[in-house]
Amino acid sequence: MATQSNKKVALVTGANKGIGLETARQLGKRGYHVLVGARDPGRGQVAVESLKAEGFSAEVVKLEVTSDADRKAVAHHVAERYGKLDALINNAAIAIDGDARSSNVADDVLRKTFDANFFAVIALTQALLPSIRKSEAGRIVNLSSGLASLGFHSDPSWSFYDFKPLAYDASKTAINAFTVHLAHELKDTPIKVNAADPGWVKTDMGSDAAPLNVTEGAETPVTLATLGPDGPTGAFFHRGKKQPW
Ligand code: NAP
């Protein structure tokens, strides 16, 4: 039997560090109860303790996004404990291209990347959709990237024109396609589905060379997770600005 929660409930995948942890913190600040998805529950618990120390409501859920068993267990927990999910932030991802280029990227790099960044996102979203439909205003945010944009990649004046890690970029382009397609399917429901480009952010993935800090990086996913009823769906944003597909 689901426990009624006065708080809105959000799940952030890969929330033990980086943009995911900061997204969890900012949602906590806005009064959400945050499920901190972490493939290593120990590191997830450390993140949860840091959020609780700041006065926020959070709990860890063990979630290796590529694990069907973990996805099912989390979906079951959400349905049983809360009976709804107000926001799903598909944040967990990997970038493992290294120096590989399109002419020589290894098959297993492409497959591992798509397993984590694309197939797992779809499977988790599908598993949680029944609970998201029970929310009065469900929000699904898919972490994308400027590197997902074929418009940017085709523009020689774009700052990252010469940076083309195929596996990562194509997995995020595919996430943009999922965003548009799912938003279309759900267009007559209150659910909004959007893609967030956080910008180039100082994290383990983004490196210290990045210009944005995690507070700035979490701004886009948090905004899209907390959109009002008149907000967009099926769109791709970076800090309030629509990005080219
Ligand atoms: P990060 O610091 O590398 O953190 C990634 C998070 O995802 C970690 O919690 C990691 O867990 C988790 N993760 C990876 N694979 C997972 C899996 N299979 N199952 C569960 N969790 C998994 O990266 P970030 O910079 O915060 O990136 C967050 C999101 O923003 C990603 O979707 C990324 O593509 C996107 N993004 C980042 C930048 C940037 O400049 N940083 C730019 C554009 C888009 P572990 O700690 O266990 O590895």
Side-chain angles (χ1 to χ4, degrees):
M1 186 64 182
T3 311
Q4 283 303 322
S5 170
N6 294 331
K7 286 181 178 287
K8 287 194 167 189
V9 181
L11 167 61
V12 185
T13 67
N16 52 284
K17 68 178 186 184
I19 295 167
L21 174 55
E22 180 58 24
T23 298
R25 176 176 288 117
Q26 292 186 23
L27 289 172
K29 211 178 251 181
R30 289 179 185 230
Y32 283 69
H33 175 68
V34 185
L35 307 185
V36 170
R39 55 181 161 185
D40 175 340
R43 287 190 289 128
Q45 190 56 42
V46 171
V48 164
E49 294 309 326
S50 76
L51 295 172
K52 284 185 169 168
E54 290 184 68
F56 307 139
S57 176
E59 74 183 269
V60 68
V61 290
K62 180 186 176 306
L63 181 55
E64 160 59 61
V65 293
T66 62
S67 158
D68 187 46
D70 280 7
R71 292 190 300 255
K72 281 193 176 126
V74 168
H76 181 76
H77 174 68
V78 168
E80 287 294 304
R81 177 76 178 82
Y82 302 104
K84 64 157 188 179
L85 184 64
D86 299 295
L88 168 62
I89 295 89
N90 284 311
N91 169 80
I94 54 170
I96 55 169
D97 291 70
D99 293 332
R101 308 195 66 184
S102 296
S103 55
N104 60 12
V105 61
D107 184 69
D108 77 305
V109 168
L110 281 162
R111 286 176 194 280
K112 273 187 194 146
T113 304
F114 268 76
D115 275 346
N117 296 9
F118 181 62
F119 295 117
V121 171
I122 295 175
L124 181 67
T125 305
Q126 290 174 345
L128 287 163
L129 204 48
S131 290
I132 298 170
R133 286 184 189 276
K134 299 231 169 80
S135 165
E136 282 174 16
R139 302 288 178 258
I140 298 169
V141 182
N142 298 322
L143 266 287
S144 183
S145 167
L147 294 168
S149 168
L150 300 178
F152 280 149
H153 272 299
S154 314
D155 175 2
S157 70
W158 184 45
S159 341
F160 300 97
Y161 180 66
D162 290 325
F163 187 57
K164 287 188 162 42
L166 177 69
Y168 179 80
D169 292 3
S171 73
K172 294 294 187 179
T173 309
I175 276 301
N176 281 358
F178 176 52
T179 302
V180 171
H181 285 65
L182 183 64
H184 179 269
E185 184 181 339
L186 299 174
K187 67 183 181 336
D188 297 324
T189 77
I191 301 171
K192 295 183 188 301
V193 189
N194 289 292
D197 167 12
W200 185 17
V201 185
K202 279 185 197 12
T203 62
D204 287 349
M205 184 187 287
S207 85
D208 282 343
L212 301 181
N213 61 38
V214 283
T215 309
E216 295 162 322
E219 184 186 317
T220 306
V222 170
T223 300
L224 295 176
T226 57
L227 285 173
D230 297 331
T233 189
F236 178 27
F237 280 98
H238 169 59
R239 304 184 87 186
K241 192 165 169 254
K242 265 195 177 176
Q243 299 298 89
W245 297 111

